[in-house]
Amino acid sequence: MKGLSPDRLLPTEPKALEIARRLYESVRDLPIISPHGHTDPQWYAENEAFPDPAQLFVIPDHYVLRMLVSQGIDLTELGVQRRDGGLTETDSRKVWQTFAENFHLFRATPSRMWLEHAFQEVFGWTKRLTAETAEEAYDHIAERLVQPDFKPRALFERFNIEVIATTESPLDDLKWHRAIRECDWRGRVVTAYRPDPVVDPEFEGFQQNIEHFGEITGEDTFSWQGYLNAHLARRAYFKSFGATSSDHGHPTARTENLSSAKAQELFQKALKGTCTVDEAEAFRGHMLTEMARMSLDDGLVLQIHPGSHRNHSNPVMDTFGRDKGFDIPTRTDYVKALKPLLDAYGLEKDLSIILFTLDETSYSRELAPLAGAYPTLKLGPAWWFHDSAEGMRRFREMTTETAGFYNTVGFNDDTRAFCSIPARHDVARRVDCAYLASLVTSGRLNEDEAYEVAYDLTYRLAKQAYRL
Amino acid sequence: MKGLSPDRLLPTEPKALEIARRLYESVRDLPIISPHGHTDPQWYAENEAFPDPAQLFVIPDHYVLRMLVSQGIDLTELGVQRRDGGLTETDSRKVWQTFAENFHLFRATPSRMWLEHAFQEVFGWTKRLTAETAEEAYDHIAERLVQPDFKPRALFERFNIEVIATTESPLDDLKWHRAIRECDWRGRVVTAYRPDPVVDPEFEGFQQNIEHFGEITGEDTFSWQGYLNAHLARRAYFKSFGATSSDHGHPTARTENLSSAKAQELFQKALKGTCTVDEAEAFRGHMLTEMARMSLDDGLVLQIHPGSHRNHSNPVMDTFGRDKGFDIPTRTDYVKALKPLLDAYGLEKDLSIILFTLDETSYSRELAPLAGAYPTLKLGPAWWFHDSAEGMRRFREMTTETAGFYNTVGFNDDTRAFCSIPARHDVARRVDCAYLASLVTSGRLNEDEAYEVAYDLTYRLAKQAYRL
Amino acid sequence: MKGLSPDRLLPTEPKALEIARRLYESVRDLPIISPHGHTDPQWYAENEAFPDPAQLFVIPDHYVLRMLVSQGIDLTELGVQRRDGGLTETDSRKVWQTFAENFHLFRATPSRMWLEHAFQEVFGWTKRLTAETAEEAYDHIAERLVQPDFKPRALFERFNIEVIATTESPLDDLKWHRAIRECDWRGRVVTAYRPDPVVDPEFEGFQQNIEHFGEITGEDTFSWQGYLNAHLARRAYFKSFGATSSDHGHPTARTENLSSAKAQELFQKALKGTCTVDEAEAFRGHMLTEMARMSLDDGLVLQIHPGSHRNHSNPVMDTFGRDKGFDIPTRTDYVKALKPLLDAYGLEKDLSIILFTLDETSYSRELAPLAGAYPTLKLGPAWWFHDSAEGMRRFREMTTETAGFYNTVGFNDDTRAFCSIPARHDVARRVDCAYLASLVTSGRLNEDEAYEVAYDLTYRLAKQAYRL
């Protein structure tokens, strides 16, 4: 590797390249707005050094794990803990070596670009990672990790993050957010309200979660009104820690707007663990409408992330637990699914609902037409598997003509891989500028407008849509 | 705005651009064949001036309305009538000002290109529309609208329209078509037979429609045979006003080929309003097969346009009525759905069925394979939300390799926005020439053949497929 | 035609073109690995001359037939036999003339490129095929077909085929494969195990097939264990003729992992012909899991090719039989469908399952995420209707970012059109090199790596994945 190409992801054709370069130049150094992600607030609260390269780049990254597993490497060889406490690799250098030996597997994947960006731009290591260079890379990165400039807060500042959101359960006490607020560091870290553990009757330990939900709010969460009050209370608590959004990761986009009697009936079944599959889905769907109702009062932005079949492999789930790279997207309907919620609140100008999808077929067929009509709806960026150069390009090509730019919300990184954040935002800026340049060269947009749109997509829309 | 780029939508790469320019030059000035659209025949019959810029470009255009609504502007602010007669903006200048202030929302949408094309090419106004230029643009256009050169017939001739089809219900008396035929203007305006009000048991007022259908045909439309006879009679009547096609906008592509007894049973239920949802769909599906049977005799081309969830928002439908930009595409199956009709008549060489879709996933998976095998089937162009530069490109890229060019039918504009017609056909010509140029530069088509195909796609195939 | 462009399917932009040319140069002349196809082993065994141009290029090619039929030409005019023995064209020159007169229908289709490649590269005929040149072309090709250099074995060698697989039923005695093995020709032709006739309860003559299956294996195939033993025996027999894979063409990707009791129950129903549609599908689905179990022992690679609605037209099937171009792809789910098999064996490193699809929407949504996680799964190349320049490009663009290159298996031609084999592999090599060049110019891959990947995609991965 001679290092990252300065024109990567920009067009090859010289005329388009010139325009794309100018556009990119204009947004490259804008602050990062990260309104949706999964970094750990403990990092910012404690500001401890990250332990080592393998624990930073390999073991917690389900993108990296799944690709290595797909080629026959065991999760135990990669240092992933077994639930039964069985043997797993504990030598981070060995894990790193396995990773480096298989680095070619990541060719042309976004992980490759994020990793190399981090190696080069964050750690100043510009060689290619191979079996031969593995040890040198490990030492290079490990040496830096212990330095003050590589601690979480220093990186946060170096990454030019203006604001970052984490995601917490209503049952979380937000102690790390409290610690951040009470320390003298001024980085802006906010939480987001992710109530899956207390709105999904199929969530592990639902009944106990509801009980705990009552304890921390002082509400009788086994009554319907007490349960709703507990949400109101926790949402207010989360808002006091900067939350501007809630986040909902249901298997489908189904919504319901049930009568209070029907909702209560489902809730009582959920508490008894007697919901059918369909009733559990109806209950989750109804809770989206309840959340929208609450948002009309407290202003939290509602994010809907449907369509992942989580933990698809039973043996992997049984042995290693959740989030090991075996979440698989499924076909997702939005048109029928969202109608109950939209009939109730779709025209409310004070409500903001951000939709994500893992089913790209819905971009032009369903999501752009919906967001291009309903004032409440906005489209989140290309998500997860589609958070990639081709994925972002498809998102723009398939949504812009119907929804325009202003029914989208800019980029978010959705990551727990801290060092990949600048890389991910950089990819989005480049792909958007390449797309805008293609509009300019093909006479679909004037260049002066393209600068404005580039700024909006990079910075303004995310702040506006997430009310940050 | 310095005006529209002369090379808009053509390739950027110089070699491909040269070829595309030559191809486009060869078809740019061909007459417009508009075999499927929704302009109002009254315009041509009466030849009155269009009232004002807002009533021409904003209030009747559901593409424009929905985008403005999606960003929080009320339909009442845009001059749309409420069904309850409640207050709505009546000052066209204010509506225009709102539109102009939000013109940036249309960046990179086809509406933007159509509007600017009309402003520039039809009205000679070449500045960008903004809050500041709104009044000047309004005055500029309004002044011209009252001039004879801007009346419907003059524009029709200036647009170089060789023939245009409108769409009417069987219950329409075609008086405007009669007036056109009886006047001394020679523009060719034909009707098309759109029987949804009398074949869809779920259509508003179905029973009264059937009664009315009987009155105007003298048939006993409450008997199955009389009902079919009424169709035959009205089809003949429509043909006498130039109709060469029928048009069917069902929610799905389902067809049925029921026994006469079963069809009669469903028809009697439909008349009593007792069809289940499934029975109503079966009846509509069977009527497609009946229409195909009639087409074998009278030669009308059968158009099937499925897959729109019409009037998705109950509140918008309740307050403002149909066609306000809230029609949302749905996933659409063709393979099972068309089988009954195709088993009955799919191999008939004298029958022509043109398929449209709002579900782009069906292009390469279902539609191109079907049209690339059955002699009756042809593919209509990229439709509605996909009547756009990217949409047309995807249509060609996803259908040509399997269906070729000669199982497609050229372009149609499908619009009620009269001044957008030249713009829409121009976009299609440009996108097709760009696509053909890419085939030439990549060695997939010889340039001499590309000229022939460009001519076919622009002019010949539409005339041939629609028997015009 | 001035002959095929040497740069066909490579990028137009000069910088990308240069890189693509170099990459293509490096793989152009590599031997052909053809691990999945449908050529007739009798050709290689007997080495008789192919009869004439129409019988070589038109009559057996369902891609060619369907396109001509789609434009109103009867299968009888094309020399296709009727099942009732009715009249059909028997003059190959007339069939060829009809084909040539309609050759423009194939513009921009892969068939056009394959045919012209074969005309030029195999037969040295470089003019364009038209009504006027038809006879000359016929004579030119016919003259060569009788020469020794144009017999199957000579062409096999000239095509530089290192190994080719055919596909046979378990009921086939493999006599042609035996003849090939016993002759002194050294071309490597292997079989593949395609058990549809004895695993699909809906297959024509299923019960008789099972009986025959017992006769040739000496097993009691009307008992469950005897039936499974018969598979084991035939698989071993096929292996002795070089088979390294089995192949399964079910309507859907459904798998089941039933209890032995339940499987036996379904098997007994299948033998009695009393399976419901769902039970037949469950039985087929369970047999995929049984095949996987056997593969763990005997090492055959399992290929799953779901999603074709075979013989969609009843009249065409009734009059002409199977495989006449009326197989239509359908929407296909993999996520739920494969779960039973994957929960059973998805993590087995010694099992290799290759997935194909006709539903391109599954590339990025389902197949790449599945293959990018499960060690058993690999993705077969763009298949059938998608074995085309645009289809291959979409395959790479929609799978690489998630599954990488190393969860794909290179190209296979899947064809019975012998003379198209070099053309098809050439198209794949060109499209892959064009794609790789675009990765290099956009800074996503280094050029030295691109050479390695080009080699892998062209040669190494097919050999490795199919264990050839």
Side-chain angles (χ1 to χ4, degrees):
Chain A
M1 190 169 87
K2 303 178 296 290
L4 297 167
S5 158
D7 287 332
R8 64 191 179 278
L9 304 178
L10 302 186
T12 307
E13 193 281 316
K15 193 172 145 195
L17 176 58
E18 280 312 306
I19 296 168
R21 275 179 181 154
R22 287 197 293 268
L23 290 168
Y24 174 63
E25 199 62 31
S26 77
V27 298
R28 189 184 55 192
D29 298 326
L30 286 173
I32 285 176
I33 306 296
S34 177
H36 178 108
H38 304 285
T39 58
D40 189 338
Q42 185 177 359
W43 297 338
Y44 315 118
E46 300 204 312
N47 202 32
E48 296 290 338
F50 291 108
D52 66 55
Q55 290 192 63
L56 183 60
F57 284 117
V58 182
I59 301 168
D61 189 331
H62 59 78
Y63 289 79
V64 170
L65 295 177
R66 66 167 183 77
M67 181 63 93
L68 296 168
V69 167
S70 80
Q71 289 282 311
I73 297 160
D74 273 338
L75 283 168
T76 51
E77 294 177 72
L78 298 169
V80 176
Q81 299 279 335
R82 292 174 60 100
R83 294 171 81 179
D84 65 3
L87 281 182
T88 201
E89 183 57 65
T90 54
D91 181 345
S92 282
R93 285 186 175 272
K94 282 199 185 155
V95 171
W96 183 261
Q97 186 69 32
T98 300
F99 168 58
E101 282 167 8
N102 290 282
F103 197 65
H104 64 284
L105 300 177
F106 297 96
R107 283 173 179 163
T109 68
S111 292
R112 161 78 175 257
M113 190 165 277
W114 302 332
L115 288 161
E116 290 196 340
H117 186 111
F119 295 164
Q120 175 171 317
E121 300 294 316
V122 183
F123 293 97
W125 196 76
T126 59
K127 294 186 191 169
R128 190 180 299 166
L129 188 62
T130 64
E132 290 70 36
T133 62
E135 203 172 325
E136 183 188 336
Y138 190 97
D139 290 338
H140 182 101
I141 295 167
E143 266 172 39
R144 275 150 193 81
L145 281 177
V146 295
Q147 298 173 13
D149 280 1
F150 291 83
K151 291 194 175 175
R153 292 181 188 172
L155 290 176
F156 186 102
E157 286 158 17
R158 195 167 133 202
F159 294 169
N160 196 15
I161 297 173
E162 183 175 313
V163 54
I164 199 167
T166 67
T167 316
E168 271 80 36
S169 153
L171 307 177
D172 192 292
D173 59 11
L174 305 184
K175 73 174 171 184
W176 300 116
H177 280 276
R178 181 181 302 278
I180 295 166
R181 194 171 63 182
E182 290 174 356
C183 79
D184 57 2
W185 179 61
R186 295 277 64 87
R188 187 171 170 205
V189 180
V190 303
T191 184
Y193 189 71
R194 179 145 187 170
D196 297 5
V198 292
V199 301
D200 178 2
E202 296 175 328
F203 207 92
E204 295 150 48
F206 178 73
Q207 287 85 347
Q208 301 92 296
N209 293 345
I210 295 296
E211 197 176 338
H212 187 190
F213 198 36
E215 289 161 13
I216 59 180
T217 55
E219 296 285 347
D220 171 13
T221 48
F222 288 85
S223 81
W224 177 238
Q225 196 54 54
Y227 171 71
L228 295 179
N229 287 345
H231 277 292
L232 288 170
R234 282 319 264 175
R235 290 168 65 103
Y237 185 72
F238 272 57
K239 278 190 73 174
S240 79
F241 288 95
T244 67
S245 67
S246 69
D247 183 25
H248 307 272
H250 298 180
T252 72
R254 177 165 168 188
T255 64
E256 291 290 348
N257 188 15
L258 304 172
S259 68
S260 179
K262 182 70 188 166
Q264 290 190 49
E265 184 194 321
L266 291 184
F267 181 59
Q268 290 309 322
K269 282 190 175 180
L271 290 175
K272 289 182 201 118
T274 61
C275 278
T276 64
V277 168
D278 184 68
E279 287 170 337
E281 207 190 351
F283 183 73
R284 287 190 299 263
H286 177 71
M287 285 310 296
L288 287 175
T289 306
E290 292 288 350
M291 291 286 129
R293 223 181 318 270
M294 294 179 194
S295 284
L296 279 170
D297 286 326
D298 65 20
L300 291 190
V301 172
L302 188 79
Q303 298 176 85
I304 305 178
H305 284 82
S308 179
H309 186 132
R310 304 273 171 180
N311 313 304
H312 186 266
S313 168
N314 287 353
V316 171
M317 179 65 180
D318 292 347
T319 309
F320 298 98
R322 300 179 151 268
D323 298 332
K324 296 299 172 281
F326 283 76
D327 294 349
I328 310 291
T330 57
R331 206 158 60 208
T332 306
D333 161 68
Y334 294 86
V335 182
K336 262 194 202 167
L338 294 178
K339 193 170 189 318
L341 173 54
L342 292 174
D343 276 337
Y345 301 118
L347 305 178
E348 296 287 346
K349 288 168 208 169
D350 294 336
L351 177 64
S352 183
I353 301 174
I354 299 177
L355 299 174
F356 294 80
T357 196
L358 292 170
D359 182 352
E360 294 179 301
T361 70
S362 66
Y363 283 159
S364 68
R365 187 182 57 217
E366 304 180 21
L367 292 178
L370 286 165
Y374 283 98
T376 48
L377 296 181
K378 300 277 177 292
L379 303 185
W383 177 41
W384 196 337
F385 296 98
H386 312 307
D387 177 8
S388 66
E390 299 291 346
M392 290 173 187
R393 182 180 58 78
R394 286 196 291 270
F395 175 78
R396 291 286 174 217
E397 288 182 355
M398 297 177 79
T399 65
T400 307
E401 293 181 321
T402 292
F405 292 111
Y406 296 99
N407 288 305
T408 67
V409 303
F411 179 69
N412 70 61
D413 51 72
D414 193 29
T415 194
R416 64 199 79 222
F418 191 47
C419 290
S420 76
I421 289 176
R424 291 172 190 245
H425 286 261
D426 184 64
V427 169
R429 292 171 190 197
R430 288 172 180 274
V431 173
D432 280 339
C433 289
Y435 175 67
L436 290 170
S438 77
L439 296 180
V440 173
T441 57
S442 62
R444 285 181 275 179
L445 193 67
N446 296 302
E447 192 170 343
D448 68 311
E449 295 178 287
Y451 285 100
E452 197 176 312
V453 175
Y455 178 84
D456 291 343
L457 299 182
T458 303
Y459 185 76
R460 196 178 63 82
L461 287 175
K463 286 188 75 163
Q464 184 185 55
Y466 282 89
R467 303 177 177 178
L468 286 164
Chain B
M1 192 168 89
K2 301 178 296 289
L4 298 167
S5 158
D7 287 333
R8 64 190 180 278
L9 303 178
L10 302 186
T12 307
E13 193 281 316
K15 193 172 146 195
L17 176 59
E18 280 312 305
I19 296 167
R21 275 179 180 154
R22 287 197 293 268
L23 291 168
Y24 173 63
E25 199 62 31
S26 76
V27 298
R28 189 184 55 192
D29 298 326
L30 286 172
I32 285 175
I33 306 297
S34 176
H36 178 107
H38 303 287
T39 59
D40 189 338
Q42 185 178 357
W43 298 337
Y44 314 119
E46 299 204 312
N47 202 33
E48 297 289 338
F50 292 107
D52 66 56
Q55 291 192 61
L56 184 60
F57 284 117
V58 182
I59 300 166
D61 188 331
H62 58 79
Y63 288 79
V64 169
L65 295 178
R66 66 167 184 75
M67 182 63 93
L68 296 169
V69 167
S70 80
Q71 289 282 311
I73 297 161
D74 273 338
L75 283 169
T76 50
E77 294 176 70
L78 297 168
V80 176
Q81 299 280 335
R82 293 173 60 101
R83 294 170 80 178
D84 65 4
L87 281 184
T88 202
E89 182 57 64
T90 53
D91 181 345
S92 281
R93 285 187 176 269
K94 281 197 186 156
V95 170
W96 183 261
Q97 187 68 32
T98 301
F99 169 59
E101 280 167 10
N102 289 283
F103 198 65
H104 65 283
L105 299 177
F106 297 97
R107 284 172 179 163
T109 68
S111 292
R112 160 76 176 256
M113 191 165 277
W114 300 333
L115 289 162
E116 290 196 339
H117 185 111
F119 296 163
Q120 175 172 319
E121 299 294 315
V122 183
F123 294 96
W125 197 76
T126 59
K127 294 188 192 168
R128 190 180 300 164
L129 188 62
T130 63
E132 291 71 36
T133 62
E135 203 172 326
E136 183 188 335
Y138 190 97
D139 290 338
H140 182 100
I141 295 168
E143 266 171 40
R144 275 149 193 80
L145 281 178
V146 294
Q147 298 173 12
D149 281 2
F150 292 84
K151 291 193 175 176
R153 292 181 188 170
L155 289 176
F156 186 103
E157 287 157 17
R158 192 166 135 202
F159 294 169
N160 196 16
I161 296 173
E162 183 174 313
V163 53
I164 198 167
T166 66
T167 316
E168 271 80 35
S169 154
L171 306 178
D172 193 292
D173 58 11
L174 304 184
K175 72 175 171 183
W176 300 116
H177 280 277
R178 181 180 301 279
I180 294 166
R181 194 171 66 184
E182 290 174 356
C183 79
D184 56 1
W185 181 60
R186 295 276 65 86
R188 185 169 171 208
V189 179
V190 302
T191 183
Y193 189 71
R194 177 141 188 173
D196 297 5
V198 292
V199 301
D200 178 1
E202 295 175 329
F203 207 92
E204 295 151 47
F206 178 72
Q207 287 86 345
Q208 299 93 297
N209 293 344
I210 296 296
E211 197 177 337
H212 187 190
F213 199 33
E215 288 161 12
I216 58 181
T217 55
E219 296 285 347
D220 171 14
T221 47
F222 287 85
S223 81
W224 177 238
Q225 196 53 54
Y227 170 71
L228 296 179
N229 288 344
H231 276 293
L232 289 169
R234 280 322 263 176
R235 289 168 66 103
Y237 185 72
F238 272 57
K239 278 190 72 175
S240 78
F241 288 96
T244 66
S245 67
S246 68
D247 182 26
H248 307 272
H250 298 179
T252 73
R254 178 166 169 188
T255 65
E256 291 290 349
N257 188 14
L258 304 173
S259 67
S260 178
K262 182 70 189 166
Q264 290 189 48
E265 185 193 321
L266 290 184
F267 181 59
Q268 291 308 321
K269 282 190 175 179
L271 290 176
K272 289 184 199 115
T274 61
C275 278
T276 64
V277 167
D278 183 68
E279 287 170 337
E281 207 188 349
F283 183 74
R284 288 189 299 262
H286 178 72
M287 285 308 297
L288 288 175
T289 305
E290 291 289 350
M291 291 286 127
R293 223 182 317 270
M294 294 179 194
S295 285
L296 279 169
D297 287 326
D298 65 20
L300 292 189
V301 171
L302 189 77
Q303 298 175 85
I304 304 178
H305 283 83
S308 178
H309 185 131
R310 304 271 171 180
N311 313 304
H312 186 265
S313 168
N314 288 354
V316 171
M317 179 64 179
D318 292 345
T319 310
F320 298 99
R322 300 179 152 268
D323 297 331
K324 296 297 172 285
F326 283 76
D327 294 350
I328 309 292
T330 57
R331 207 157 60 207
T332 306
D333 160 67
Y334 293 87
V335 182
K336 263 195 200 167
L338 294 178
K339 194 171 189 316
L341 172 55
L342 292 174
D343 276 337
Y345 300 118
L347 305 177
E348 295 288 346
K349 289 168 207 168
D350 294 336
L351 178 63
S352 181
I353 301 174
I354 300 177
L355 299 174
F356 294 81
T357 197
L358 292 171
D359 181 352
E360 295 179 301
T361 70
S362 66
Y363 284 158
S364 68
R365 187 182 58 217
E366 306 181 19
L367 292 178
L370 286 165
Y374 283 97
T376 47
L377 296 182
K378 300 277 175 292
L379 303 186
W383 177 41
W384 196 339
F385 295 99
H386 312 309
D387 177 7
S388 66
E390 298 292 345
M392 290 173 187
R393 181 180 59 79
R394 286 195 291 268
F395 175 79
R396 291 286 173 218
E397 288 182 356
M398 297 178 79
T399 65
T400 306
E401 293 180 320
T402 292
F405 292 112
Y406 296 99
N407 287 305
T408 67
V409 301
F411 179 69
N412 70 59
D413 52 73
D414 193 29
T415 194
R416 63 200 79 221
F418 190 47
C419 289
S420 77
I421 289 175
R424 289 172 190 245
H425 286 261
D426 184 65
V427 168
R429 293 171 189 198
R430 289 172 179 274
V431 173
D432 281 339
C433 289
Y435 175 68
L436 291 169
S438 78
L439 295 179
V440 173
T441 57
S442 62
R444 285 182 275 179
L445 193 68
N446 295 304
E447 191 171 343
D448 68 313
E449 296 179 287
Y451 285 100
E452 197 176 310
V453 176
Y455 178 83
D456 291 343
L457 299 183
T458 304
Y459 185 76
R460 195 177 64 79
L461 287 175
K463 286 189 76 163
Q464 184 184 57
Y466 281 91
R467 304 177 176 178
L468 285 165
Chain C
M1 190 167 90
K2 304 177 296 288
L4 297 168
S5 159
D7 287 333
R8 63 191 179 280
L9 303 179
L10 302 186
T12 306
E13 194 280 317
K15 192 172 148 196
L17 176 58
E18 280 313 305
I19 296 167
R21 274 179 180 154
R22 287 197 293 268
L23 290 168
Y24 174 63
E25 199 62 31
S26 77
V27 297
R28 190 184 53 192
D29 298 326
L30 287 173
I32 285 176
I33 305 297
S34 177
H36 178 107
H38 304 286
T39 59
D40 189 338
Q42 186 177 358
W43 298 338
Y44 315 117
E46 300 205 311
N47 202 31
E48 297 289 339
F50 291 107
D52 66 55
Q55 291 191 63
L56 184 60
F57 284 117
V58 182
I59 300 167
D61 188 330
H62 58 79
Y63 289 79
V64 170
L65 296 178
R66 66 167 184 76
M67 181 63 94
L68 295 169
V69 167
S70 81
Q71 289 282 311
I73 297 161
D74 273 339
L75 283 169
T76 52
E77 294 176 71
L78 299 168
V80 176
Q81 301 278 335
R82 293 173 60 99
R83 296 170 80 178
D84 64 5
L87 281 183
T88 201
E89 183 56 64
T90 54
D91 181 346
S92 280
R93 284 186 177 270
K94 280 200 187 155
V95 170
W96 183 262
Q97 187 69 33
T98 300
F99 168 58
E101 281 167 9
N102 291 282
F103 197 64
H104 64 283
L105 299 177
F106 297 95
R107 284 174 178 162
T109 68
S111 292
R112 160 80 175 256
M113 191 166 276
W114 301 333
L115 289 162
E116 289 196 340
H117 186 112
F119 296 164
Q120 175 172 317
E121 299 294 317
V122 182
F123 293 96
W125 196 77
T126 59
K127 293 187 192 169
R128 191 181 298 167
L129 188 62
T130 64
E132 291 69 37
T133 63
E135 203 171 326
E136 183 188 337
Y138 190 97
D139 291 338
H140 182 100
I141 295 168
E143 266 172 40
R144 276 151 193 78
L145 281 178
V146 295
Q147 298 172 15
D149 281 1
F150 291 84
K151 290 194 175 176
R153 292 181 187 171
L155 290 177
F156 186 102
E157 287 158 16
R158 193 167 134 204
F159 295 168
N160 196 17
I161 297 173
E162 183 174 314
V163 55
I164 197 167
T166 66
T167 317
E168 271 80 35
S169 153
L171 306 178
D172 192 292
D173 59 11
L174 303 185
K175 73 174 172 185
W176 301 116
H177 280 276
R178 180 180 302 277
I180 294 166
R181 194 171 63 184
E182 291 174 356
C183 79
D184 58 2
W185 180 62
R186 294 278 64 84
R188 186 171 171 206
V189 180
V190 303
T191 184
Y193 188 71
R194 178 144 187 171
D196 298 5
V198 293
V199 301
D200 178 1
E202 296 174 329
F203 207 92
E204 295 151 46
F206 177 73
Q207 287 86 345
Q208 299 93 298
N209 294 344
I210 296 296
E211 196 176 337
H212 187 192
F213 198 35
E215 288 160 14
I216 59 182
T217 55
E219 296 286 348
D220 170 13
T221 48
F222 288 85
S223 81
W224 177 238
Q225 195 54 54
Y227 170 71
L228 295 179
N229 287 343
H231 277 292
L232 289 169
R234 281 319 263 177
R235 290 169 65 102
Y237 185 72
F238 273 56
K239 279 189 73 174
S240 78
F241 289 95
T244 66
S245 66
S246 68
D247 183 25
H248 306 273
H250 298 181
T252 72
R254 178 168 168 185
T255 66
E256 291 290 347
N257 188 14
L258 304 172
S259 67
S260 179
K262 181 70 188 166
Q264 290 190 49
E265 183 194 322
L266 290 184
F267 181 59
Q268 291 308 322
K269 282 190 175 179
L271 290 175
K272 291 186 198 112
T274 60
C275 278
T276 63
V277 168
D278 184 68
E279 287 170 338
E281 206 189 352
F283 183 74
R284 288 190 299 262
H286 177 73
M287 285 309 298
L288 288 175
T289 305
E290 291 288 352
M291 292 287 128
R293 224 182 316 269
M294 295 180 193
S295 285
L296 279 169
D297 286 327
D298 65 21
L300 292 189
V301 171
L302 188 78
Q303 299 176 85
I304 304 179
H305 284 82
S308 179
H309 185 131
R310 304 271 172 183
N311 314 303
H312 186 265
S313 168
N314 288 354
V316 171
M317 179 66 179
D318 292 346
T319 310
F320 299 99
R322 300 179 152 269
D323 297 333
K324 297 298 172 281
F326 283 77
D327 294 349
I328 309 291
T330 56
R331 205 158 60 206
T332 306
D333 160 68
Y334 293 86
V335 183
K336 263 194 202 169
L338 294 178
K339 194 170 188 318
L341 173 54
L342 292 173
D343 276 338
Y345 301 118
L347 305 178
E348 295 289 346
K349 287 167 210 170
D350 294 336
L351 177 63
S352 182
I353 301 174
I354 300 177
L355 300 174
F356 294 81
T357 198
L358 292 170
D359 182 353
E360 295 179 301
T361 69
S362 65
Y363 284 159
S364 67
R365 187 182 57 216
E366 304 180 21
L367 292 178
L370 286 164
Y374 283 97
T376 48
L377 296 182
K378 299 277 176 290
L379 303 185
W383 177 40
W384 197 337
F385 296 98
H386 312 308
D387 177 7
S388 67
E390 298 292 345
M392 290 172 185
R393 181 180 58 79
R394 285 196 292 269
F395 175 79
R396 290 287 174 219
E397 288 181 355
M398 297 177 77
T399 65
T400 307
E401 293 181 320
T402 293
F405 292 111
Y406 297 99
N407 288 306
T408 67
V409 302
F411 180 69
N412 69 62
D413 52 73
D414 192 30
T415 194
R416 62 200 78 222
F418 190 47
C419 290
S420 77
I421 290 176
R424 290 172 190 246
H425 286 260
D426 184 64
V427 169
R429 291 170 191 199
R430 289 172 179 275
V431 174
D432 280 339
C433 289
Y435 175 67
L436 291 169
S438 77
L439 295 180
V440 173
T441 56
S442 62
R444 285 181 275 179
L445 193 67
N446 295 303
E447 191 170 344
D448 69 311
E449 296 178 287
Y451 285 100
E452 197 176 311
V453 176
Y455 178 84
D456 291 344
L457 300 183
T458 302
Y459 185 77
R460 195 178 63 80
L461 287 175
K463 286 188 77 163
Q464 183 186 56
Y466 282 90
R467 302 174 176 179
L468 284 165

